[in-house]
Amino acid sequence: MKTQYNEQHMGAAYGPYGQMTQAPQAETMRIDDVIVRTVALVAATFIAALLTYGMVADGIANSDADAIGTAMMLGTIGAVVGLGIMIFSMFKPVTNPFVAFLYAIGQGLLLGGVSAVFEQQWPGIVVNALLATILVFGAMLALYKFRILKNSPMFTKVIVGAGIGIFLLSMANLLFSAFGVDLGLFAGPGESVSALQWIIAIGITLWAAFSFILDFDMIEYSAQHGAPKKYAWAGAFGLTAGLIFLYWNLLRLLSYFQGD
């Protein structure tokens, strides 16, 4: 019965809960530990984003192709590193702070450059996307806190299954794009948005929001059952990755509204 429960309680970024509730060797994790680590990772993401955001913004303002090229190179490196760590996290929880910060910084470098391009085309869109990310996260936390939304075996299966589908869809789009083939799944900045692209963008954004329920449940369950303190990094990594993913999709969705 216990084995079945542990198999049901799992998150894509963490692996089975059973891996996190072994007898602790020293200190056990607390929810406060997750909060502190999440703040640190988000701060690292933000600082890295400011670097490439400034490079691209200055490059556009001063027609400095070198600055833009450097920012793009840093963003590409960050994207590759982030993708590798995210794939790794699907098989094993990220409990190493170095790996967690490497992901946060890499995603920040990518996020800053792309955000600067969006901001150049639609002034104010970055601030709106950031505010929307905070509001959505806060709303999901409140819904979980007051048990309006809570995890269940069926909810887990739906979210994990949809997450796998989104990952495969994104990888297919990336692979075909590398060969110059546009599958028409996502509209670029300024392009006309099709009905299918609207549906995909809204669907992925909703998934990004509801996936936080798994994160909150994992963190609460692990803290209550004495998971080793190192797993606080797994919880922080999951929340940070979720916030970044939600921001990306809200930025895209807001650009669709601007394009119409």
Side-chain angles (χ1 to χ4, degrees), residues 125-139 246-247 250-251 254:
I125 192 173
V126 170
V127 172
N128 289 334
L130 286 171
L131 288 176
T133 300
I134 295 171
L135 290 173
V136 171
F137 178 80
L246 178 61
Y247 170 80
L250 286 170
L251 188 65
L254 289 174

Side-chain angles (χ1 to χ4, degrees), residues 118 122 124-133 198 201 205 247-260:
F118 275 73
W122 300 294
I125 192 173
V126 170
V127 172
N128 289 334
L130 286 171
L131 288 176
T133 300
W198 271 109
T205 303
Y247 170 80
W248 280 124
N249 285 281
L250 286 170
L251 188 65
R252 177 192 294 126
L253 197 56
L254 289 174
S255 74
Y256 284 7
F257 282 105
Q258 298 291 335
D260 283 354

Side-chain angles (χ1 to χ4, degrees), residues 14 34 38 42 137 212 215-216 219 234-244:
Y14 316 106
V34 179
T38 302
V42 171
F137 178 80
F212 282 119
D215 296 331
F216 300 147
I219 292 166
F237 174 83
L239 290 179
T240 303
L243 286 167
I244 291 172

Side-chain angles (χ1 to χ4, degrees), residues 83-154:
L83 178 60
I85 294 175
M86 183 53 66
I87 293 175
F88 169 82
S89 73
M90 294 178 179
F91 301 96
K92 185 177 181 180
V94 175
T95 58
N96 187 314
F98 175 79
V99 176
F101 274 106
L102 190 62
Y103 174 82
I105 293 170
Q107 286 295 287
L109 292 173
L110 174 63
L111 183 149
V114 175
S115 296
V117 174
F118 275 73
E119 182 68 18
Q120 179 68 22
Q121 185 157 357
W122 300 294
I125 192 173
V126 170
V127 172
N128 289 334
L130 286 171
L131 288 176
T133 300
I134 295 171
L135 290 173
V136 171
F137 178 80
M140 298 310 297
L141 180 59
L143 289 172
Y144 179 80
K145 179 70 175 179
F146 294 106
R147 296 299 188 261
I148 297 173
L149 285 178
K150 53 186 177 180
N151 193 19
S152 68
M154 180 57 69

